[in-house]
Amino acid sequence: MKDRIKMKIPLVEMDGDEMTRIIWKMIKDILLTPYIDLNTEYYDLGLERREATKDQVTTDSAIATKKYGVAVKCATITPNADRVKEYNLTQMWKSPNGTIRAILDGTVFRAPITVNCIKPYVSTWKKPITIARHAYGDVYRDVEYKVEGKGKAELVFTSESGEVTKQTIHEFDGPGVILGMHNVDKSIESFARACFNFALDQKQDIWFATKDTISKKYDHRFKDIFREIFENEYSKKFKAAGIEYFYTLIDDVVARVVKSEGGFIWACKNYDGDVMSDMVATAFGSLAMMTSVLVSPEGYYEFEAAHGTVQRHYYQHLKGQETSTNSMATIFAWSGALRKRGELDGSSDLIDFADKLEAASIKTIESGIMTKDLAVLADIKEKKVVNTENFLREIGKVLDEMMVK
Ligand code: NAP
Ligand code: MG
């Protein structure tokens, strides 16, 4: 056995909840620590720890990401009323991803992991579609108000110099609801640049859509900023690379995406990206095969799986029942983070390991060994459905062979 790979600079490791927390440890034990002398700065974002630290641990982990540049995150529970009861929480803590995104800003890129035995539900799709989701503002940073009865709702802006602008939102005759949301040019600009840079990097077209015909100021601002930045900074580079920037309306783009061949980047506003990434992931086969990376304008990276903590499987696991949870997206979060660490630190060993880990994972599935979620989709004669742990052990066998070469 060769010496284990050394890491010069730590990765920020953000542990999480439920089934993905179980998988997290298994991935480290079975696939990582046998080959790498793992150097991580560990933050436990499990809900108990968030409660104990009044969620300070989440903020600390985001600040550490700014220090070290690369983080890998496990899925975490976003508390709702049920979770407040279940975990006896003193507060309904905010979504960790929301908190991290608010600190790092940036854009989330989500792409499916494709394997030759799983055909997308959309029969025209031949290549992966990457969703670029704006990770700041809109409904995720909103202020909401429940109107109890008659009254007037107004939109008021007070400038720094004290000038007041007022608009009536609605004169309520009875109960209703109000929502106030915002975005800032700076964040939209960095979203646009992140998308254009990523398109150049991947040599793929980029599509963007909003509802600017209805939202004549808010969504229109997104459209204008994208156009200005594209024309001033990117149009020549795009021409040289032979790729295009294409803008249309959100409903139109949905129709076009479904009829497309894939192989492009689809830039989405925050909420659209939330919704559409689940659609794209499912249509490519499984939410368990979708990777996700947050890229900040300063060039900090946070890698994670796109799916949640797989609660239903966790409760089976707690009852002592066997689970067959797919760890692919979490493995690819680790490989993505290790590769980026390798690129930033000039460690070809680390990059090589990340490549092999991904190749071994894909090879395992393509050889017919897979978890339950994929078994129902895979078009392959000899299928062997394995449990959560054995799937990782099977990948480990393939990886072992690759690593001695
Ligand atoms: P989920 O964890 O994504 O799981 C939803 C369903 O999708 C599962 O029940 C399972 O279907 C299938 N699935 C997802 N990932 C899978 C995997 N790796 N292998 C096999 N099947 C998989 O969503 P959820 O159950 O709605 O949410 C659970 C918790 O996750 C919530 O507390 C939520 O706040 C949190 N969440 C966190 C993140 C994040 O940290 N990034 C994102 C989303 C949700 P079957 O049950 O049919 O097998
Ligand atoms: Mg979502």
Side-chain angles (χ1 to χ4, degrees), residues 110 133 140 273-275 277-278 306:
R110 286 190 173 165
R133 174 180 170 189
Y140 303 85
D274 188 350
V275 176
S277 69
D278 280 24

Side-chain angles (χ1 to χ4, degrees), residues 18 20 23 73-80 83 96-97 101 110 286-289 304-313 324-330 371 373:
E18 299 193 313
T20 40
I23 287 175
K73 180 180 170 293
C74 180
T76 46
I77 293 169
T78 298
N80 55 15
R83 300 297 199 162
N97 285 356
R101 284 171 203 160
R110 286 190 173 165
S286 170
L287 195 55
M289 298 287 276
E304 61 174 345
H307 61 76
T309 61
V310 212
Q311 182 183 18
R312 198 181 67 80
H313 296 206
S324 181
T325 313
N326 188 343
S327 45
M328 285 293 278
T330 308
T371 44
D373 56 313

